[in-house]
Amino acid sequence: SDYENYLDGVKNIHEVLQESMEIEYQNLRNGEISPQDYIVIADITSSQVTSQISEFVTSKPPEVWQESYINYMEALKKFNSYIGETKVLANLIEKGSTDAELDNAIEKIELMKKESLEYAKNSEEQRPN
């Protein structure tokens, strides 16, 4: 159905954004990219995710697809929260924060990432056969 193809398309875009953010996040952590440059990339990615979420809100899937769509929209929202938390980390790195502050931020980042993946998995499980 079109709803399946649409969801697959969003999933593909999300996966590409996740992979590119993961690479940039590792570059930030390894000191291979400046916090300012990272924040610029994160802002661009976040706005792409936000536009995906906006499209989702207006897509009006039939009832059989609603649970899957709702879960995937939540996955995107959590992914956006993840991006936001990585920007917090970038700011902490820039101002030379303590290891404890950095560890706390990294813990939040990991949690957001995990929750986003769980929603994506739930979306997959809720797809109609």
Side-chain angles (χ1 to χ4, degrees):
S1 76
D2 287 355
Y3 294 98
E4 184 173 13
N5 291 333
Y6 175 74
L7 191 53
D8 287 341
V10 171
K11 242 179 86 171
N12 291 339
I13 292 167
H14 183 205
E15 285 167 4
V16 168
L17 295 176
Q18 278 177 308
E19 285 169 24
S20 68
M21 281 310 299
E22 188 60 35
I23 291 165
E24 297 304 342
Y25 176 62
Q26 290 309 321
N27 288 342
L28 172 71
R29 300 271 314 266
N30 299 335
E32 293 167 26
I33 184 175
S34 75
Q36 299 96 328
D37 287 346
Y38 179 84
I39 289 170
V40 168
I41 293 165
D43 282 340
I44 292 167
T45 305
S46 182
S47 73
Q48 290 172 310
V49 175
T50 300
S51 82
Q52 289 291 320
I53 292 168
S54 302
E55 283 179 35
F56 247 99
V57 171
T58 60
S59 66
K60 305 275 187 273
E63 204 169 315
V64 295
W65 280 97
Q66 282 177 1
E67 280 303 311
S68 184
Y69 269 56
I70 289 167
N71 274 289
Y72 212 85
M73 189 168 67
E74 289 303 320
L76 291 171
K77 287 178 180 176
K78 285 291 178 186
F79 180 57
N80 231 358
S81 297
Y82 157 84
I83 294 170
E85 290 299 331
T86 65
K87 286 169 50 182
V88 169
L89 180 68
N91 284 317
L92 291 172
I93 290 170
E94 188 166 34
K95 68 176 198 183
S97 297
T98 65
D99 285 348
E101 288 173 311
L102 296 175
D103 289 345
N104 190 28
I106 291 166
E107 210 172 287
K108 275 188 186 160
I109 289 165
E110 291 305 316
L111 180 66
M112 293 296 153
K113 184 177 173 181
K114 184 174 170 242
E115 288 178 359
S116 177
L117 294 171
E118 281 172 16
Y119 277 116
K121 184 172 168 269
N122 290 344
S123 169
E124 201 58 38
E125 290 167 359
Q126 298 291 329
R127 281 177 173 235
N129 293 331

